[in-house]
Amino acid sequence: MARASQRPGVSAYVLHSHDWSESSLILDLFTREHGRVVAVAKGAKRPYSQLRPVLMPFQRLTVAFGAKRGEEAEVWLLRQAEWAGGAAWPGGAALLPGFYVNELLMRLMVRHDPHPALFDAYVQTLQAMGDPALLQAALRAFELTLLRRLGHLPQLSQQTVDGQRVVFDAAYELHPELGVRAAQWLGEPDAGPVVLGGQVLIEIEQALASNLGLPTLMAACMPALSELKAVLRNQIQYHLGSQTLRTRQLMMELQQP
């Protein structure tokens, strides 16, 4: 197959990088136009490389890829990367959660599957995480958006098996396989599965369907942040299978006395 011409510049973030040789890097990139892309940055580790100070996580880039052989190529060649502007990411308390978001994208997304709306949600998530008061809401909203865009989140305003509508004042479970169902636990309240109120589920579904952006979804998550954290952790782990999130394990270890 003929060699393709150089690709135009696209918006991207570095999710992860590791050494490929003494002078080069392998990058996991999240691009708006191509989805998740693995690329080699030749010479990026050299002291005077123009790529070296640019290829950092959490800063928006404009990147260009070189010629490749066929659309099936797994690793692309990074020809150019430039900082796309914007305020510097604050890091701090958001640094480890930021790497958690990056790891979710790497573990759950397949390569070369574009998700422009998910890319935009990622940008908004990074912005919101800079405010400590919004950090948890931003994480829950991004997890919901990721699961929905990848087809792993059922319709939340109706019960999955029988199609009955969710009602405001009832309690529900969100099961990885059975979807939304009425809460069935009859034992001690704190010993059973985590439940979500019907109103929360309805408002989250309305926010997801509205396409009004992450702030609207964050507001819908606010009344049930702790419950959503537990429920979404279970959902995500189900789709990860036997994989363990390194960032989540590290966050748990840091919280231990």
Side-chain angles (χ1 to χ4, degrees):
M1 186 174 292
R3 184 180 293 269
S5 60
Q6 181 166 314
R7 300 168 175 275
V10 298
S11 296
Y13 283 85
V14 174
L15 299 177
H16 181 70
S17 66
H18 64 268
D19 294 344
W20 182 53
S21 66
E22 291 185 359
S23 62
S24 302
L25 293 171
I26 292 289
L27 304 169
D28 212 316
L29 301 171
F30 185 26
T31 73
R32 194 175 194 279
E33 289 81 356
H34 307 295
R36 181 173 154 252
V37 172
V38 175
V40 58
K42 292 184 176 180
K45 293 170 59 181
R46 292 173 181 158
Y48 300 106
S49 170
Q50 295 181 345
L51 294 174
R52 185 171 183 173
V54 175
L55 298 176
M56 304 293 291
F58 313 123
Q59 62 178 10
R60 189 162 182 163
L61 307 175
T62 300
V63 302
F65 299 104
K68 66 184 185 67
R69 294 189 182 276
E71 292 299 321
E72 300 81 12
E74 287 295 316
V75 180
W76 294 2
L77 176 63
L78 184 71
R79 284 292 188 192
Q80 184 178 359
E82 298 177 347
W83 179 54
W89 199 61
L95 185 61
L96 195 53
F99 282 115
Y100 163 74
V101 168
N102 285 2
E103 189 176 9
L104 284 181
L105 290 169
M106 290 189 294
R107 297 293 187 91
L108 291 175
M109 289 187 71
V110 300
R111 298 182 189 180
H112 311 154
D113 184 18
H115 286 279
L118 182 57
F119 183 91
D120 295 340
Y122 176 80
V123 175
Q124 293 180 317
T125 299
L126 293 183
Q127 295 171 345
M129 287 169 62
D131 184 344
L134 299 178
L135 177 58
Q136 292 301 316
L139 288 173
R140 303 295 80 81
F142 182 79
E143 290 168 340
L144 286 162
T145 302
L146 177 63
L147 290 170
R148 173 56 59 83
R149 293 293 174 181
L150 298 185
H152 299 324
L153 189 71
Q155 171 75 234
L156 299 179
S157 59
Q158 66 181 39
Q159 297 187 54
T160 305
V161 174
D162 57 18
Q164 292 187 38
R165 296 181 63 182
V166 167
V167 296
F168 267 52
D169 57 353
Y172 296 89
E173 301 171 15
L174 180 56
H175 192 276
E177 293 181 338
L178 301 177
V180 178
R181 64 177 183 176
Q184 300 176 4
W185 178 252
L186 300 178
E188 294 295 328
D190 295 332
V194 177
V195 299
L196 296 167
Q199 181 174 351
V200 170
L201 289 173
I202 292 170
E203 291 179 354
I204 288 175
E205 182 60 43
Q206 290 174 344
L208 285 167
S210 69
N211 295 320
L212 293 178
L214 202 77
T216 301
L217 183 54
M218 288 168 59
C221 292
M222 281 290 191
L225 287 179
S226 60
E227 293 87 350
L228 284 168
K229 182 176 182 178
V231 168
L232 293 175
R233 177 180 298 174
N234 192 33
Q235 296 284 316
I236 289 168
Q237 189 58 56
Y238 174 81
H239 293 290
L240 288 172
S242 60
Q243 299 181 75
T244 300
L245 289 172
R246 297 177 181 178
T247 46
R248 178 183 291 167
Q249 184 64 34
L250 181 55
M251 285 189 284
M252 292 173 61
E253 292 174 358
L254 291 175
Q255 291 172 0
Q256 294 177 356

